[in-house]
Structure formats: structure tokens, C-alpha cells
Amino acid sequence: MTTDLPELLHAADVETWSDEVDVVVVGFGIAGACAALEAARAGASVILLERASEYGGTSAMAGGHFYLGGGTAVQRATGIEDSAEEMFKYLMAVSLDPDEAKIRAFCDDSVEHFDWIEALGMEFERSLYEKKAVIQPGTQGLMFTGNEKVHPFRDLAKPAPRGHKVPKPGDTGGAKIVLDALAERLAETDADVRYETGATNLVVEVGPEGGGAVVGLAWRKYDERGFIRARSVVIAAGGYVGNDKMIAEYTPQLGSKLFPLASTYDDGLGIRLGASAGAELRCMEQAFITAPFYPPAQLVTGIVVNKEGKRFVAEDSYHSRTSGFVMDQTDQAAYLIVDSAHIEHPDFPLCPFIDGWETVAEMESALGIPTGALEETLSSYNQHAERKEDPDFHKHPDWLEPQDIGPWGAYDLTLGKAMYAGFTMGGMRVALDGQVQREDGSVIAGLYAAGACAVNIAQDGKGYASGTQLAEGSYFGRRAGRHAASQA
């Protein structure tokens, strides 16, 4: 693996073009597929390149949440009141560096985008999963998948569940249903899909005033090589969690102690291709990191403390928000403390159970917490929880229950002890319609990006909600495809 940028090639040096098309798309994940489909439906000639031998990429590994709202058919069928405005207020509040225009468009178009996804040939179940979980265990079509009910966001926007899951039981692979439908719809167009073929370099044509418009790319398939001339190039080649050297440079927190949630092709090539043409890279230090301690939801009533015995996050937070705050603690260490009245061991524990103790003092000693610190924290929490109050972190009353019945148990949330997994969040700066931008905000003519190699809605783990990347990847992929086709 490397952090080096691919060489930028000049059109004047290309002797022969293997193809000439309106739009060439790099990557057949959710974003690339949507870009290619919309471009083809708009009448553009399209080539879609995929390095793997089949479509899907990291998108196909996902459980299948799409973060959509504003009054979708599933929300209406299950009695959920939501609006584009409330969705907008929530995403603005939870985002690291919110882009108002993008968030407004994403929310205003959310119902239309939901309908577009179903029109591909699949349908979300009209049902609601009301418990707190990482993902619906069955085929339920809707649940809360973010921090909508967590302080302070619940006071800034009316909470509503927006995690729409495809009808496939289990935690992984559900999104493949949508990828299958996209592949079928693409096969109905004139788009040319080429597998085991990857982009290696961008090709630019420099005008009299410089600037360097992207006019195509170099490709490779085993020993074959060639050049595709295109009016527009759309890069949708994923993140960089599979590139150890890029991880070391940008997000060392995703190092050897963490399992990468990505395909082997998430090596940052798409990001480096964009950077070679002058793209500004943003949020490169940000990552999604998680080791959920729930379900069972009962464990959310416990308290999470650091090595100093202090709470540092509302325990009802979305799991990657909690994990993000764990990463900020001394030695990236934390413990979930639960009393005997509320403890319930997970079926598949990602955070290992350490032990149980008859007294809090014994637990303090065993965990290496300063004498009296945990007792003080637990005593204060219990007193307020009796009144369904949490003045320190404003945990939702639904999860406020005293932890005062011994013995007490502890789960280890420490990085390296718990089974953390994650992926990268950073990528190219892009405009609303996917045009790649330089540091000064100017657009690189002919170059677009969408999905995990571009920065749009999802920017950091603390503000993330399950389904954001599939939803924004498909939505902004569509926009990029349409705009790229309009340049033909």
C-alpha cells in the first residue's frame, strides 16, 4: 500500500483512446451504481469500471440501513410523524461541519429518494422496530439509528426514526438486495459495465490559462492497459480503511487494534486519484469506530466510566458516538458498570464481561480506579436516577434506573479489549452535484466524486447514524450522475 498520488497524465501524450464516452464511473458500489444509472437514463453513454470480479464493494457488506425521512411511506404506515424540516434541523445539529445546502437538499428530496430506491424493484417492510439495537434483528423496515433521542439533539429537533432497513434478517449483507436491483436496472440501459478493470490515473487537458480539466482516465485489466476519453469522470471508489499507510498517516486510531469494515478494495485509490488532480481532502482524520455494548437494551441503563471512575458520555448515545468518546479517554479505556437487577449478558458480546463484585469498593480495586471515585459517581447517578434525572449528561429518562443492587458487573469497553470495528470518513471536497473542488472552492472541470471517497453528510463517528452512507452515497451518486450527463 502507498500514500503516493498516481501520476497525472496529459491528453496530448495519449496516442490512442480505447473508448470515448460521455461519462465513465469508477466503482460499482452504491454511489457508483446510482451515478451510472442516472447518467445512462439521462441519455449519456456510460462505462462503469469495477476492480473486483463482481459488483457491490463495501456497500454490499452493509446491513442495509438507509437514513431517510421527511415522511416516507414506511414512516407514514407506522404512524411516525416526520418532516424534511425536522430532519434538516437534526442533521445540522449533529454534523461536525454542516453544509447547509447539501443537508437541505438531502432532506427535502428524502421522500423522493426513498420512492426512487423502491422503484428499483424492492420494498421496505411497513413495520417499526421499537427496541434499542444496532440493527433490526428481523425484517422490520424502520427504527431509530442515530442520536435523535439523545441530548442535546432531542431538544433541537423532534425525534423520529429514520433508519430504513431492507427486508433481510441479520446484521450484514442486506444492502446487497439494493445492489442486485441496481445491477438489473443498469442491465436494461446501454451502460457498459466492465469488471476486473480499474482506473490507474486521471488524464487532463490543460488549456491556455492552465487549470487542467479532467478528460478521461487510464485503465488496467490484468496485463491489458488503455485510456478512456470522457467528458466527465465520476469517482466512487470507497474509503481508505484497507490502506495501512494511509491509516497511519491520517487515522492511526484505526490501527491494528481494530477490525476494518470494508472490502479489500477500500485502499484509498479513488481519493488519491482525486488529489492528483488538485482535489482538497477533508475530514481525513475522522473515522467511524464502534464496539456496541447493546443489545440487550437493558445494559443501556448502566453507566460508562473511564479509568478515573468518571462518566463522560450519555449511555443512551448511538454506539459510535459512545465509542468516539471512549477514544478520547485515558488509554482509550472505559467500563460499563451494571448492577445485578439490570445485567443481561449479550448473545454475541463485543465488549467482554470482566467479572462481578459484591461491593463497589472491590470493583474499584479490581479495575484500578482510584479509591472512592466510582462509589462517588455511582452514588450521584443513583440518587438522580431515582427521580429520572441526569443533570450531568441528560440521559433519556427511558434509560435512567438506579444501579444500586449488588453484586455489580463490569464490561470492558477498552480499545484492544473490546472488538472494535470501523471505517474512514474523509475524502474529497465536493459541491452539491458532486463536482470535485480545490482548496479555494473552484471546481475541477470534468471530475466528480460520490460515496465514501467524498465528504457530504457523514463526517465523523460521533455524529453518525446508521444508514447515512448508503443514503447519501445513493442520493449524491444520483446527483453526480445526472450533472455529469448534462455536460455531454
Side-chain angles (χ1 to χ4, degrees), residues 415-459:
L415 181 65
K417 300 292 183 63
M419 190 178 294
Y420 279 89
F423 51 81
T424 58
M425 306 291 283
M428 287 173 268
R429 176 183 180 182
V430 291
L432 177 60
D433 286 312
Q435 306 101 311
V436 176
Q437 296 171 294
R438 302 180 181 88
E439 189 173 355
D440 63 3
S442 63
V443 167
I444 301 173
L447 187 61
Y448 298 78
C453 63
V455 176
N456 283 303
I457 305 295
Q459 297 178 340

Short mmCIF file of all heavy atoms in Angstrom, two decimals, residues 415-459:
data_model
loop_
_atom_site.label_atom_id
_atom_site.label_comp_id
_atom_site.label_asym_id
_atom_site.label_seq_id
_atom_site.Cartn_x
_atom_site.Cartn_y
_atom_site.Cartn_z
N LEU A 415 -10.27 -0.05 24.05
CA LEU A 415 -9.72 -0.39 22.74
C LEU A 415 -8.63 -1.44 22.92
O LEU A 415 -7.73 -1.29 23.73
CB LEU A 415 -9.14 0.85 22.06
CG LEU A 415 -8.55 0.65 20.67
CD1 LEU A 415 -9.63 0.26 19.68
CD2 LEU A 415 -7.84 1.92 20.20
N GLY A 416 -8.73 -2.52 22.16
CA GLY A 416 -7.79 -3.62 22.31
C GLY A 416 -8.35 -4.76 23.14
O GLY A 416 -7.87 -5.89 23.04
N LYS A 417 -9.36 -4.47 23.95
CA LYS A 417 -10.05 -5.50 24.74
C LYS A 417 -11.42 -5.78 24.11
O LYS A 417 -11.77 -6.93 23.87
CB LYS A 417 -10.22 -5.03 26.19
CG LYS A 417 -8.90 -4.75 26.90
CD LYS A 417 -8.08 -6.01 27.12
CE LYS A 417 -6.81 -5.71 27.90
NZ LYS A 417 -7.06 -5.20 29.27
N ALA A 418 -12.17 -4.72 23.85
CA ALA A 418 -13.44 -4.87 23.13
C ALA A 418 -13.15 -5.05 21.64
O ALA A 418 -12.09 -4.65 21.15
CB ALA A 418 -14.31 -3.64 23.36
N MET A 419 -14.08 -5.66 20.92
CA MET A 419 -13.90 -5.92 19.50
C MET A 419 -14.39 -4.72 18.68
O MET A 419 -15.53 -4.67 18.22
CB MET A 419 -14.64 -7.19 19.08
CG MET A 419 -14.30 -7.66 17.67
SD MET A 419 -15.15 -9.19 17.22
CE MET A 419 -14.39 -10.34 18.38
N TYR A 420 -13.51 -3.74 18.53
CA TYR A 420 -13.86 -2.54 17.78
C TYR A 420 -13.72 -2.78 16.28
O TYR A 420 -12.85 -3.52 15.82
CB TYR A 420 -12.97 -1.36 18.19
CG TYR A 420 -13.43 -0.69 19.46
CD1 TYR A 420 -12.98 -1.13 20.71
CD2 TYR A 420 -14.32 0.37 19.41
CE1 TYR A 420 -13.40 -0.53 21.88
CE2 TYR A 420 -14.75 0.99 20.59
CZ TYR A 420 -14.29 0.53 21.81
OH TYR A 420 -14.72 1.13 22.96
N ALA A 421 -14.59 -2.11 15.54
CA ALA A 421 -14.53 -2.14 14.08
C ALA A 421 -14.77 -0.73 13.58
O ALA A 421 -15.30 0.12 14.30
CB ALA A 421 -15.58 -3.10 13.52
N GLY A 422 -14.38 -0.47 12.33
CA GLY A 422 -14.58 0.88 11.85
C GLY A 422 -14.21 1.08 10.40
O GLY A 422 -13.75 0.17 9.71
N PHE A 423 -14.43 2.31 9.95
CA PHE A 423 -14.08 2.69 8.59
C PHE A 423 -13.76 4.18 8.57
O PHE A 423 -14.04 4.92 9.53
CB PHE A 423 -15.20 2.35 7.59
CG PHE A 423 -16.57 2.85 7.98
CD1 PHE A 423 -16.95 4.16 7.75
CD2 PHE A 423 -17.49 1.98 8.56
CE1 PHE A 423 -18.22 4.62 8.10
CE2 PHE A 423 -18.77 2.42 8.91
CZ PHE A 423 -19.12 3.75 8.67
N THR A 424 -13.19 4.63 7.47
CA THR A 424 -12.77 6.03 7.35
C THR A 424 -13.93 6.91 6.90
O THR A 424 -14.87 6.46 6.26
CB THR A 424 -11.61 6.15 6.35
OG1 THR A 424 -12.02 5.63 5.08
CG2 THR A 424 -10.41 5.36 6.84
N MET A 425 -13.83 8.21 7.22
CA MET A 425 -14.89 9.16 6.89
C MET A 425 -14.44 10.23 5.90
O MET A 425 -15.26 10.87 5.26
CB MET A 425 -15.38 9.86 8.17
CG MET A 425 -15.82 8.91 9.27
SD MET A 425 -17.32 8.01 8.90
CE MET A 425 -18.54 9.25 9.19
N GLY A 426 -13.14 10.46 5.79
CA GLY A 426 -12.65 11.56 4.98
C GLY A 426 -12.64 11.28 3.49
O GLY A 426 -12.74 10.13 3.04
N GLY A 427 -12.51 12.36 2.70
CA GLY A 427 -12.45 12.20 1.26
C GLY A 427 -12.38 13.54 0.57
O GLY A 427 -12.01 14.56 1.17
N MET A 428 -12.78 13.55 -0.69
CA MET A 428 -12.68 14.76 -1.50
C MET A 428 -13.77 15.77 -1.16
O MET A 428 -14.90 15.41 -0.85
CB MET A 428 -12.78 14.40 -2.98
CG MET A 428 -11.56 13.72 -3.54
SD MET A 428 -11.83 13.15 -5.25
CE MET A 428 -12.41 11.47 -4.95
N ARG A 429 -13.39 17.02 -1.24
CA ARG A 429 -14.37 18.10 -1.13
C ARG A 429 -15.17 18.14 -2.43
O ARG A 429 -14.59 18.15 -3.52
CB ARG A 429 -13.66 19.43 -0.92
CG ARG A 429 -14.58 20.65 -0.88
CD ARG A 429 -13.78 21.92 -0.75
NE ARG A 429 -14.64 23.10 -0.71
CZ ARG A 429 -14.19 24.36 -0.64
NH1 ARG A 429 -12.87 24.58 -0.59
NH2 ARG A 429 -15.03 25.38 -0.59
N VAL A 430 -16.49 18.16 -2.31
CA VAL A 430 -17.34 18.18 -3.49
C VAL A 430 -18.47 19.19 -3.32
O VAL A 430 -18.91 19.48 -2.21
CB VAL A 430 -17.95 16.78 -3.79
CG1 VAL A 430 -16.89 15.80 -4.24
CG2 VAL A 430 -18.70 16.24 -2.57
N ALA A 431 -18.95 19.71 -4.44
CA ALA A 431 -20.09 20.61 -4.46
C ALA A 431 -21.38 19.79 -4.38
O ALA A 431 -21.35 18.55 -4.35
CB ALA A 431 -20.06 21.46 -5.72
N LEU A 432 -22.51 20.47 -4.37
CA LEU A 432 -23.80 19.81 -4.21
C LEU A 432 -24.04 18.73 -5.25
O LEU A 432 -24.59 17.67 -4.95
CB LEU A 432 -24.92 20.86 -4.27
CG LEU A 432 -26.36 20.35 -4.19
CD1 LEU A 432 -26.62 19.61 -2.89
CD2 LEU A 432 -27.34 21.53 -4.33
N ASP A 433 -23.62 18.96 -6.49
CA ASP A 433 -23.85 17.99 -7.56
C ASP A 433 -22.63 17.12 -7.82
O ASP A 433 -22.50 16.53 -8.90
CB ASP A 433 -24.28 18.70 -8.84
CG ASP A 433 -25.72 19.20 -8.76
OD1 ASP A 433 -26.59 18.40 -8.35
OD2 ASP A 433 -25.97 20.37 -9.08
N GLY A 434 -21.75 17.03 -6.83
CA GLY A 434 -20.65 16.09 -6.92
C GLY A 434 -19.40 16.58 -7.60
O GLY A 434 -18.41 15.83 -7.70
N GLN A 435 -19.37 17.84 -8.08
CA GLN A 435 -18.16 18.33 -8.73
C GLN A 435 -17.04 18.44 -7.69
O GLN A 435 -17.21 19.04 -6.64
CB GLN A 435 -18.39 19.71 -9.36
CG GLN A 435 -19.57 19.78 -10.31
CD GLN A 435 -20.78 20.40 -9.65
OE1 GLN A 435 -21.16 20.01 -8.55
NE2 GLN A 435 -21.38 21.37 -10.33
N VAL A 436 -15.90 17.87 -8.01
CA VAL A 436 -14.77 17.89 -7.08
C VAL A 436 -14.19 19.30 -7.04
O VAL A 436 -14.04 19.96 -8.08
CB VAL A 436 -13.70 16.86 -7.50
CG1 VAL A 436 -12.47 16.96 -6.61
CG2 VAL A 436 -14.29 15.45 -7.45
N GLN A 437 -13.83 19.74 -5.83
CA GLN A 437 -13.37 21.11 -5.64
C GLN A 437 -11.93 21.17 -5.12
O GLN A 437 -11.48 20.29 -4.38
CB GLN A 437 -14.28 21.83 -4.64
CG GLN A 437 -15.71 21.99 -5.12
CD GLN A 437 -16.62 22.52 -4.03
OE1 GLN A 437 -16.87 21.84 -3.04
NE2 GLN A 437 -17.12 23.74 -4.21
N ARG A 438 -11.27 22.25 -5.50
CA ARG A 438 -9.94 22.54 -4.97
C ARG A 438 -10.08 23.25 -3.62
O ARG A 438 -11.19 23.57 -3.18
CB ARG A 438 -9.17 23.42 -5.95
CG ARG A 438 -9.01 22.83 -7.35
CD ARG A 438 -8.23 23.79 -8.25
NE ARG A 438 -8.10 23.25 -9.61
CZ ARG A 438 -8.97 23.42 -10.58
NH1 ARG A 438 -10.07 24.14 -10.35
NH2 ARG A 438 -8.76 22.89 -11.78
N GLU A 439 -8.96 23.54 -3.00
CA GLU A 439 -8.97 24.19 -1.69
C GLU A 439 -9.64 25.56 -1.75
O GLU A 439 -10.27 25.99 -0.77
CB GLU A 439 -7.54 24.33 -1.16
CG GLU A 439 -7.46 24.80 0.28
CD GLU A 439 -6.06 24.77 0.83
OE1 GLU A 439 -5.14 24.28 0.13
OE2 GLU A 439 -5.86 25.23 1.97
N ASP A 440 -9.52 26.27 -2.87
CA ASP A 440 -10.13 27.59 -2.98
C ASP A 440 -11.61 27.53 -3.36
O ASP A 440 -12.25 28.56 -3.55
CB ASP A 440 -9.36 28.46 -3.99
CG ASP A 440 -9.40 27.89 -5.42
OD1 ASP A 440 -10.07 26.87 -5.65
OD2 ASP A 440 -8.74 28.48 -6.30
N GLY A 441 -12.15 26.33 -3.48
CA GLY A 441 -13.57 26.17 -3.80
C GLY A 441 -13.86 26.05 -5.27
O GLY A 441 -15.00 25.76 -5.65
N SER A 442 -12.88 26.29 -6.11
CA SER A 442 -13.10 26.17 -7.54
C SER A 442 -13.30 24.71 -7.92
O SER A 442 -12.79 23.80 -7.27
CB SER A 442 -11.92 26.76 -8.32
OG SER A 442 -10.72 26.06 -8.06
N VAL A 443 -14.06 24.50 -8.99
CA VAL A 443 -14.40 23.16 -9.45
C VAL A 443 -13.36 22.65 -10.43
O VAL A 443 -12.89 23.38 -11.31
CB VAL A 443 -15.79 23.17 -10.11
CG1 VAL A 443 -16.06 21.87 -10.87
CG2 VAL A 443 -16.87 23.38 -9.06
N ILE A 444 -12.97 21.40 -10.29
CA ILE A 444 -12.08 20.75 -11.25
C ILE A 444 -12.97 20.25 -12.39
O ILE A 444 -13.73 19.29 -12.22
CB ILE A 444 -11.30 19.59 -10.62
CG1 ILE A 444 -10.46 20.10 -9.44
CG2 ILE A 444 -10.41 18.89 -11.66
CD1 ILE A 444 -9.79 19.00 -8.64
N ALA A 445 -12.88 20.90 -13.53
CA ALA A 445 -13.76 20.57 -14.65
C ALA A 445 -13.63 19.10 -15.03
O ALA A 445 -12.54 18.56 -15.13
CB ALA A 445 -13.41 21.45 -15.84
N GLY A 446 -14.79 18.47 -15.22
CA GLY A 446 -14.81 17.09 -15.68
C GLY A 446 -14.66 16.03 -14.60
O GLY A 446 -14.72 14.84 -14.91
N LEU A 447 -14.50 16.45 -13.34
CA LEU A 447 -14.28 15.46 -12.27
C LEU A 447 -15.37 15.53 -11.21
O LEU A 447 -15.68 16.61 -10.70
CB LEU A 447 -12.91 15.69 -11.62
CG LEU A 447 -12.47 14.63 -10.60
CD1 LEU A 447 -12.35 13.26 -11.25
CD2 LEU A 447 -11.15 15.02 -9.94
N TYR A 448 -15.93 14.36 -10.88
CA TYR A 448 -16.97 14.22 -9.86
C TYR A 448 -16.57 13.14 -8.86
O TYR A 448 -15.75 12.27 -9.17
CB TYR A 448 -18.30 13.83 -10.50
CG TYR A 448 -18.86 14.84 -11.47
CD1 TYR A 448 -18.37 14.94 -12.77
CD2 TYR A 448 -19.90 15.68 -11.09
CE1 TYR A 448 -18.89 15.87 -13.67
CE2 TYR A 448 -20.43 16.61 -11.99
CZ TYR A 448 -19.91 16.70 -13.27
OH TYR A 448 -20.42 17.62 -14.14
N ALA A 449 -17.18 13.18 -7.68
CA ALA A 449 -16.95 12.12 -6.69
C ALA A 449 -18.20 11.95 -5.85
O ALA A 449 -18.95 12.90 -5.62
CB ALA A 449 -15.76 12.45 -5.81
N ALA A 450 -18.43 10.73 -5.39
CA ALA A 450 -19.58 10.42 -4.54
C ALA A 450 -19.26 9.19 -3.70
O ALA A 450 -18.33 8.44 -4.00
CB ALA A 450 -20.84 10.18 -5.38
N GLY A 451 -20.05 8.99 -2.65
CA GLY A 451 -19.82 7.84 -1.79
C GLY A 451 -18.74 8.08 -0.76
O GLY A 451 -18.49 9.23 -0.37
N ALA A 452 -18.09 7.03 -0.32
CA ALA A 452 -17.14 7.11 0.78
C ALA A 452 -15.86 7.84 0.46
O ALA A 452 -15.07 8.13 1.35
CB ALA A 452 -16.82 5.71 1.29
N CYS A 453 -15.61 8.15 -0.81
CA CYS A 453 -14.40 8.91 -1.15
C CYS A 453 -14.69 10.40 -1.24
O CYS A 453 -13.79 11.18 -1.58
CB CYS A 453 -13.78 8.40 -2.45
SG CYS A 453 -14.84 8.58 -3.89
N ALA A 454 -15.92 10.82 -0.95
CA ALA A 454 -16.32 12.23 -0.96
C ALA A 454 -16.91 12.59 0.39
O ALA A 454 -17.47 11.74 1.09
CB ALA A 454 -17.33 12.48 -2.07
N VAL A 455 -16.80 13.86 0.76
CA VAL A 455 -17.35 14.31 2.04
C VAL A 455 -18.65 15.06 1.79
O VAL A 455 -18.66 16.12 1.16
CB VAL A 455 -16.34 15.21 2.79
CG1 VAL A 455 -16.97 15.77 4.06
CG2 VAL A 455 -15.08 14.43 3.13
N ASN A 456 -19.76 14.51 2.29
CA ASN A 456 -21.06 15.13 2.15
C ASN A 456 -21.75 15.24 3.51
O ASN A 456 -21.48 16.16 4.26
CB ASN A 456 -21.92 14.34 1.16
CG ASN A 456 -21.52 14.61 -0.28
OD1 ASN A 456 -21.54 15.76 -0.73
ND2 ASN A 456 -21.17 13.57 -1.02
N ILE A 457 -22.60 14.27 3.87
CA ILE A 457 -23.33 14.33 5.14
C ILE A 457 -22.53 13.68 6.26
O ILE A 457 -22.32 14.27 7.32
CB ILE A 457 -24.70 13.63 5.02
CG1 ILE A 457 -25.51 14.22 3.86
CG2 ILE A 457 -25.47 13.75 6.33
CD1 ILE A 457 -25.92 15.65 4.02
N ALA A 458 -22.07 12.45 6.06
CA ALA A 458 -21.32 11.73 7.09
C ALA A 458 -19.92 12.30 7.22
O ALA A 458 -19.15 12.31 6.25
CB ALA A 458 -21.24 10.25 6.73
N GLN A 459 -19.59 12.80 8.41
CA GLN A 459 -18.30 13.45 8.59
C GLN A 459 -17.50 12.92 9.78
O GLN A 459 -16.27 13.00 9.77
CB GLN A 459 -18.49 14.96 8.76
CG GLN A 459 -19.10 15.63 7.53
CD GLN A 459 -19.34 17.11 7.74
OE1 GLN A 459 -19.40 17.61 8.85
NE2 GLN A 459 -19.46 17.84 6.64
#
